[in-house]
Amino acid sequence: MAQCAGTIKNVGRSAIHLGRRYRHGDMAGLRGALIVLEGADRAGKSTQARLLVEALKERGYRAEGLRFPERTTEIGQLIGSYLEKKSDLEDHTIHLLFSANRWEQVPTMKEKLRSGITLVVDRYAFSGVAFTSCKENFDLHWCKQADVGLPKPDLILFLKVNPEVAAARGGFGNERYETNYFQEKVLKRYFELMEDKSLNWKVIDASEKMENVHKNIKDLSEKAIQDAKDQPLGKLWEEDP
Ligand code: NYM
Ligand code: MG
């Protein structure tokens, strides 16, 4: 009898568990959302990405964070050494390595999205294009080509921070590109990329208090998860406007 009661209790519990999982995706074959954070250095991308993953998990979603460049892979180590100025690489070459560093993660990303996991990505192809296209003799069109066909983000959060607030957050590090002059050029490129209305860009005022920025990001992300769950995953820049 005791055993029987126990069984009933367990059945009840797993039904609740299944109900919860069903609501948030994977049991019905519903996919997770691909959410990207972009913005200049010191905009708070990494902090907000971490807070977002934690908040989504707390609310019962399956969510994981990733970042580009992913410096731990072999390609990522070449990139890391370039950014730290320990090595020099020809400009097209490093651009293509940044892109390859994304492509090498694509099978894992697709698998996770398919299984219902929402991915929160700290920088993506938009960083790749915004940074390289600031170099002499590079244009946006060429810079986009290597990333055409990557999984298309369901939401791109652009963290916009005014220069005074960014300055108050501390100085730049010593990596390549970490100068005011370069970053200002990068921002202009981001704004050009944001004109592409086939992508779901949202500009976030990241000069506000961390908690307010977080709430804003969390609300937009939950909506994106709901909207994406029964839509096929798109391909980035396949139909170039
Ligand atoms: N960066 C990042 C690029 O130039 N191209 C890319 O494709 C990506 C993903 O690397 N200054 C630049 C932007 C950053 C630097 O990024 C390292 P982080 O988020 O500081 O690790
Ligand atoms: Mg940095």
Side-chain angles (χ1 to χ4, degrees):
M1 189 56 207
Q3 198 184 0
C4 182
T7 309
I8 289 166
K9 200 167 133 210
N10 282 343
V11 165
R13 226 189 241 157
S14 71
I16 291 164
H17 183 58
L18 283 179
R20 187 178 172 89
R21 285 173 63 175
Y22 177 81
R23 251 195 299 132
H24 293 312
D26 59 350
M27 290 308 286
L30 300 175
R31 72 170 174 94
L34 180 57
I35 300 172
V36 168
L37 278 86
E38 287 281 1
D41 281 318
R42 299 178 299 180
K45 289 183 299 303
S46 308
T47 306
Q48 290 296 338
R50 185 173 44 77
L51 292 175
L52 177 58
V53 171
E54 280 168 16
L56 291 176
K57 280 189 183 161
E58 248 165 50
R59 295 175 71 84
Y61 295 96
R62 296 165 73 214
E64 287 182 21
L66 59 151
R67 87 254 12 107
F68 292 110
E70 172 48 69
R71 301 189 195 211
T72 58
T73 66
E74 281 177 55
I75 293 169
Q77 285 170 32
L78 294 174
I79 294 171
S81 146
Y82 172 82
L83 287 170
E84 291 166 32
K85 302 177 190 163
K86 290 181 182 152
S87 65
D88 282 322
L89 286 166
E90 192 275 331
D91 288 329
H92 300 79
T93 310
I94 182 64
H95 180 77
L96 296 173
L97 286 176
F98 271 115
S99 177
N101 185 237
R102 286 183 278 280
W103 280 107
E104 65 183 344
Q105 300 298 327
V106 167
T108 318
M109 288 170 69
K110 281 189 171 165
E111 186 51 44
K112 289 189 171 171
L113 291 167
R114 203 178 297 130
S115 75
I117 299 173
T118 283
L119 296 177
V120 175
V121 189
D122 182 355
R123 292 191 189 280
Y124 200 50
F126 315 99
S127 282
V129 174
F131 278 77
T132 304
S133 66
C134 290
K135 296 180 174 179
E136 245 170 80
N137 302 320
F138 282 87
D139 62 47
L140 278 188
H141 180 75
W142 187 88
C143 290
K144 284 160 85 173
Q145 296 318 299
D147 288 303
V148 168
L150 279 179
K152 178 178 172 175
D154 298 296
L155 172 66
I156 314 160
L157 298 158
F158 182 78
L159 272 58
K160 189 172 167 236
V161 66
N162 68 46
E164 299 85 68
V165 173
R169 287 180 185 170
F172 285 117
N174 287 321
E175 292 205 331
R176 271 181 220 262
Y177 311 137
E178 293 184 330
T179 64
N180 277 326
Y181 174 71
F182 200 82
Q183 299 272 327
E184 272 167 33
K185 295 214 292 187
V186 168
L187 274 184
K188 288 200 187 116
R189 297 305 196 174
Y190 270 125
F191 281 99
E192 282 179 54
L193 289 171
M194 278 185 239
E195 283 168 21
D196 180 352
K197 302 298 175 221
S198 71
L199 292 168
N200 185 19
W201 285 97
K202 298 279 184 219
V203 178
I204 305 288
D205 180 1
S207 302
E208 278 193 49
K209 280 205 312 211
M210 192 170 75
E211 302 82 58
N212 297 354
V213 179
H214 170 61
K215 177 157 187 343
N216 203 349
I217 285 179
K218 187 176 57 125
D219 293 347
L220 288 165
S221 299
E222 285 203 67
K223 179 172 186 314
I225 293 171
Q226 293 310 320
D227 291 347
K229 66 182 192 303
D230 42 17
Q231 295 294 320
L233 180 65
K235 290 187 175 183
L236 182 63
W237 293 325
E238 284 270 273
E239 282 154 42
D240 208 355

